């Protein structure tokens, strides 16, 4: 999507063939399996299936043109040796009050097992956060929950791994996750606070700060400039099949 481009459900220029719109957007969801770089865009256009407008169809056509120009690209998987423990790394972020219709925030995250992406998502938060820290912390809790599921799977398969690490670009969120003291301003997210903090204190999870320009999950929460988008796309190992190593 174009940088700083926002879609809205309010409009009168309704698309003339809603069924066609639904079928195309539905097909794009399957492309997410090997093309996580379009996750945010597809999630965005899926929110207008009931009454699509021409502006929504324009966004869909932009996605189709992008896929047409990158037909030979896809998610590549790099084999990992058995000599050492696997690393579990997650990147999480949130775009506070990004939806111009209901002011819900968008959470985005991706989880790496070794050098490979094993899961990623872009979704609207169910509740309206009152601060950017709350939005970021809910995203952090969701990423922690996903790591717990992956850990249980690896334990069942008897695969050893290093202590998981989550990278967040909001310094206040990182500090709050390590702070053993709860404040009145954080009572509305107390469950998420305890959930993440208990794992940190038991040393089964590491939460670290990362500068925003290196935050991989930015690609799941908002439109980005071309240069930044391509840089983050490469971090997912989305490569040309003809030249992938």
């Amino acid at each position: 999507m174009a940088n700083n481009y926002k879609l809205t459900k309010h409009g009168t220029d309704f698309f003339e063939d809603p069924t066609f719109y639904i079928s195309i957007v539905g097909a794009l969801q399957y492309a997410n399996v090997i093309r996580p770089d379009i996750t945010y865009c597809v999630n965005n256009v899926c929110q207008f299936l009931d009454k699509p407008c021409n502006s929504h169809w324009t966004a869909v056509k932009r996605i189709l043109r992008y896929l047409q120009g990158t037909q030979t690209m896809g998610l590549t998987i790099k084999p990992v040796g058995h000599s050492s423990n696997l690393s579990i790394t997650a990147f999480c972020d949130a775009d506070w009050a990004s939806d111009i219709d209901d002011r819900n925030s968008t959470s985005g995250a991706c989880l790496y097992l070794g050098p490979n992406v094993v899961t990623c998502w872009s979704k609207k938060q169910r509740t309206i956060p009152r601060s950017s820290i709350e939005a970021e912390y809910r995203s952090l809790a969701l990423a922690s929950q996903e790591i717990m599921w992956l850990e249980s799977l690896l334990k069942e398969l008897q695969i050893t791994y290093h202590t998981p690490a989550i990278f967040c670009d909001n310094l206040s969120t990182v500090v709050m996750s390590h702070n053993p003291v709860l404040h009145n301003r954080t009572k509305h997210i107390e469950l998420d606070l305890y959930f993440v903090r208990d794992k940190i204190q038991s040393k089964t999870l590491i939460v670290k700060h990362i500068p925003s320009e290196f935050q991989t999950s930015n690609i799941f929460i908002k439109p980005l400039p071309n240069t930044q988008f391509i840089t983050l796309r490469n971090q997912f190992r989305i490569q040309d099949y003809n030249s992938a190593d």
Side-chain angles (χ1 to χ4, degrees):
M1 296 181 67
N3 189 25
N4 297 324
Y5 188 67
K6 298 289 186 180
L7 296 176
T8 177
K9 63 182 180 181
H10 300 293
T12 57
D13 57 331
F14 298 115
F15 187 57
E16 59 183 9
D17 191 352
T19 303
F20 182 66
Y21 179 93
I22 294 173
S23 64
I24 296 297
V25 172
L28 286 174
Q29 295 183 57
Y30 290 98
N32 281 341
V33 176
I34 59 172
R35 296 298 299 270
D37 50 329
I38 64 170
T39 300
Y40 169 76
C41 305
V42 174
N43 174 64
N44 212 272
V45 296
C46 281
Q47 299 175 29
F48 309 101
L49 296 178
D50 53 341
K51 290 183 179 180
C53 297
N54 288 326
S55 57
H56 307 147
W57 175 241
T58 299
V60 172
K61 289 193 294 182
R62 187 181 178 94
I63 300 174
L64 294 175
R65 285 196 299 268
Y66 170 70
L67 291 177
Q68 184 181 27
T70 56
Q71 293 185 52
T72 59
M73 299 187 71
L75 190 65
T76 58
I77 304 298
K78 182 179 179 180
V80 180
H82 300 283
S83 58
S84 60
N85 295 341
L86 284 173
S87 62
I88 301 177
T89 308
F91 296 84
C92 68
D93 203 356
D95 193 10
W96 180 44
S98 57
D99 194 302
I100 60 177
D101 293 324
D102 54 20
R103 286 305 173 188
N104 276 357
S105 300
T106 301
S107 292
C110 57
L111 199 156
Y112 287 79
L113 183 60
N116 303 309
V117 177
V118 293
T119 183
C120 57
W121 63 85
S122 173
K123 60 180 66 176
K124 289 173 64 175
Q125 297 184 2
R126 296 182 179 180
T127 58
I128 300 177
R130 287 179 283 179
S131 66
S132 60
I133 297 178
E134 179 182 348
E136 295 271 1
Y137 212 100
R138 293 194 187 280
S139 181
L140 175 61
L142 185 59
S144 302
Q145 180 181 343
E146 191 73 16
I147 284 180
M148 287 183 61
W149 175 86
L150 181 59
E151 285 182 295
S152 65
L153 178 61
L154 294 178
K155 289 178 181 177
E156 183 177 346
L157 297 174
Q158 298 183 354
I159 298 175
T160 57
Y161 55 89
H162 294 291
T163 303
I166 301 180
F167 291 90
C168 177
D169 62 1
N170 189 296
L171 187 57
S172 298
T173 302
V174 176
V175 172
M176 188 185 299
S177 66
H178 291 83
N179 187 358
V181 179
L182 285 176
H183 303 281
N184 292 331
R185 292 179 299 174
T186 62
K187 284 187 176 180
H188 52 289
I189 53 172
E190 190 169 324
L191 291 178
D192 288 335
L193 281 169
Y194 274 122
F195 175 70
V196 177
R197 187 173 297 157
D198 286 349
K199 295 187 69 65
I200 293 176
Q201 292 180 347
S202 63
K203 298 183 179 180
T204 58
L205 180 66
I206 300 172
V207 177
K208 297 181 178 180
H209 177 256
I210 187 173
S212 182
E213 59 267 25
F214 302 117
Q215 177 56 274
T216 307
S217 59
N218 273 339
I219 201 172
F220 298 124
I221 63 171
K222 57 187 175 184
L224 299 171
N226 290 342
T227 303
Q228 186 179 4
F229 178 84
I230 294 174
T231 299
L232 296 181
R233 184 183 67 183
N234 293 337
Q235 293 182 17
F236 290 114
R237 294 184 59 82
I238 298 176
Q239 303 174 355
D240 193 319
Y241 291 140
N242 299 324
S243 61
D245 53 3

